Amino acid sequence: MNWDWEKLRENQQKFEHKREGGGPSMPRPPQMDELLNRFKSFKFPGVFLVVIVIAALFFGSSTFFTIETDEVGVIQRFGKYDRIAQPGLNFKFPSGIEKVTKVKVKRVYKEEFGFQAVKGSGNYRLASSSSQETPLMLTGDLNVAVVPWIVQYRISNPRDYLFKVKDVRAILRDMSEATMRTVVGDRSINEVISKREEIALAAKDILQKEMDQAQSGINIVTIEMKKTNVPEPVQASFNEVNQAIQEKEQTIYKAREEYNKAVPLARGEAKRVIKDAEGYAIDRINRAQGDATKFSAIYQAYAKAKDVTKKRLYLESMLEIFPNLGTKYIIDSEQKNMLPFLNMGGGQSAAVPQNRFLNKSE
């Protein structure tokens, strides 16, 4: 606040002039010390400056905001959804008008079921019976299995994630457990233990459909099945049953192996015998046909020259028969007595040659 010093002097002179002339008294103008004291005590400009600075900081911080690369900003205007802010520097109306909620859309969240993670390591341990989570499930063949698993997911729709479901994590855990019990309930205990990847894929598909139907705004990345087993009290009996089943299967495999060795061998031998028989039949047929053709040719020759053909047939027959007879004695049919020097009952006589013809002249 500035003072007009010239005006103050004129007022002071007028006051002194009137006082000398006996006029009415005028109020005394403020002195310099009083003005300095009043100026020191007057703090309005400093307070106003501080208020301006605070207001500028407040409006600046509430209107400009930054979104990281792995998130988006959900902006509400008077509590109602308005738009999505992308990564980078963004502007909005001051607080009270618009509100921004940052949501991590690229981060992979996970929920664990049936086991507890050991801090400081990558190992897991099954949850105890007193734990809030229970991994016990009933299988399709009415056995009880210990089934631990992990659900990994991302936020795919920030609007649905924030406004459509009150507690997304709670509904995810409930639906995940219900889905896993449904999938496990359709399989035997051996399938639950040995086919964990197949169960995880089936559970993932069903759980994603349920979460989409609930408009939860999340996308199931994967379901990881941990080691599945039976409860500890029945593990010994279960192992004995599995051992018996394995021995049974081993015996069946050995029997099949022997079967696969013997049956093909027998089939091959049967085919060989059949082929030999077929070959023998063909050979006999061909021989018979050849003999018939030969006989026909001989008959035709015999019909043309009976004596010559008959003699030739006789001679050819003798040529085939005589080499197989061994020692031969030809005796004249008109001889009445046996010669005394012929040893008919003993072996070959040295004095009698083989194939000797005997007649009356001898």
Side-chain angles (χ1 to χ4, degrees):
M1 184 177 179
N2 299 323
W3 297 93
D4 193 350
W5 298 105
E6 298 294 334
K7 188 174 181 180
L8 287 176
R9 290 192 183 94
E10 291 179 358
N11 291 334
Q12 185 177 6
Q13 293 176 358
K14 290 179 180 179
F15 173 73
E16 292 177 353
H17 177 72
K18 290 181 179 180
R19 188 175 56 179
E20 293 176 355
S25 62
M26 296 293 293
R28 186 176 65 87
Q31 300 297 320
M32 182 60 66
D33 295 339
E34 294 177 357
L35 292 175
L36 292 176
N37 292 332
R38 288 181 182 181
F39 181 78
K40 290 180 181 180
S41 62
F42 188 74
K43 299 180 180 180
F44 179 78
V47 174
F48 183 72
L49 182 61
V50 172
V51 171
I52 292 175
V53 172
I54 293 175
L57 293 176
F58 173 75
F59 283 104
S61 61
S62 63
T63 55
F64 293 96
F65 61 94
T66 302
I67 302 297
E68 300 295 335
T69 56
D70 61 340
E71 63 186 10
V72 295
V74 180
I75 299 177
Q76 298 170 253
R77 181 175 297 175
F78 298 111
K80 183 180 179 181
Y81 170 80
D82 184 70
R83 64 187 183 276
I84 296 290
Q86 299 300 324
L89 183 63
N90 293 269
F91 171 82
K92 70 177 184 65
F93 289 107
S95 299
I97 300 177
E98 287 186 345
K99 174 186 175 182
V100 60
T101 303
K102 298 180 180 180
V103 180
K104 300 286 185 180
V105 295
K106 294 185 179 180
R107 177 183 297 179
V108 177
Y109 300 88
K110 71 176 181 178
E111 293 293 335
E112 301 171 353
F113 299 85
F115 62 88
Q116 298 173 347
V118 180
K119 294 182 178 180
S121 67
N123 299 324
Y124 299 91
R125 62 185 179 188
L126 292 178
S128 61
S129 58
S130 60
S131 176
Q132 183 180 1
E133 299 295 336
T134 172
L136 299 179
M137 294 186 182
L138 188 65
T139 61
D141 54 355
L142 301 181
N143 285 303
V144 177
V146 180
V147 185
W149 75 97
I150 298 176
V151 177
Q152 297 180 344
Y153 64 94
R154 286 193 183 97
I155 300 174
S156 59
N157 191 327
R159 180 180 181 182
D160 292 345
Y161 178 78
L162 293 176
F163 306 117
K164 293 298 180 67
V165 180
K166 182 178 180 180
D167 191 346
V168 177
R169 183 175 180 271
I171 192 173
L172 173 63
R173 295 191 68 85
D174 294 340
M175 293 306 301
S176 178
E177 184 173 353
T179 299
M180 188 59 66
R181 291 187 183 277
T182 300
V183 176
V184 171
D186 293 337
R187 289 165 172 79
S188 64
I189 183 66
N190 292 328
E191 291 177 335
V192 173
I193 293 176
S194 61
K195 298 181 179 180
R196 292 182 293 176
E197 294 183 0
E198 178 182 341
I199 294 175
L201 292 175
K204 176 180 178 294
D205 295 337
I206 297 175
L207 181 59
Q208 185 63 65
K209 292 179 181 178
E210 295 295 336
M211 299 308 293
D212 292 342
Q213 186 176 0
Q215 295 182 346
S216 60
I218 64 176
N219 178 45
I220 306 300
V221 177
T222 183
I223 293 181
E224 181 182 359
M225 299 286 296
K226 294 299 179 180
K227 184 178 180 181
T228 306
N229 208 334
V230 296
E232 293 183 0
V234 297
Q235 282 186 3
S237 301
F238 183 77
N239 292 335
E240 292 178 359
V241 172
N242 285 337
Q243 185 176 1
I245 293 174
Q246 292 176 359
E247 292 177 356
K248 173 185 174 182
E249 292 178 351
Q250 185 177 3
T251 304
I252 293 174
Y253 291 151
K254 288 183 178 180
R256 288 179 178 175
E257 183 179 0
E258 295 296 331
Y259 174 85
N260 293 331
K261 288 181 179 179
V263 171
L265 182 62
R267 289 175 178 173
E269 184 66 20
K271 290 182 178 180
R272 186 188 65 79
V273 173
I274 292 172
K275 293 295 183 182
D276 290 344
E278 291 176 351
Y280 178 76
I282 293 173
D283 179 69
R284 296 296 296 174
I285 292 171
N286 292 334
R287 285 178 179 271
Q289 291 176 351
D291 292 341
T293 303
K294 179 181 179 183
F295 180 80
S296 298
I298 294 173
Y299 177 76
Q300 292 176 1
Y302 176 78
K304 293 178 180 180
K306 294 182 178 180
D307 295 336
V308 175
T309 304
K310 183 177 179 180
K311 188 174 182 179
R312 181 179 178 181
L313 289 174
Y314 176 77
L315 294 175
E316 289 178 353
S317 298
M318 289 299 104
L319 288 175
E320 293 180 358
I321 293 172
F322 270 95
N324 297 327
L325 292 179
T327 301
K328 297 171 286 295
Y329 296 93
I330 301 173
I331 301 173
D332 191 357
S333 60
E334 296 180 358
Q335 185 175 354
K336 304 219 173 167
N337 293 319
M338 300 295 290
L339 293 176
F341 59 84
L342 184 60
N343 187 6
M344 299 297 292
Q348 175 78 30
S349 175
V352 181
Q354 292 184 352
N355 300 332
R356 183 176 178 82
F357 293 86
L358 300 178
N359 50 32
K360 291 191 297 180
S361 63
E362 293 178 346

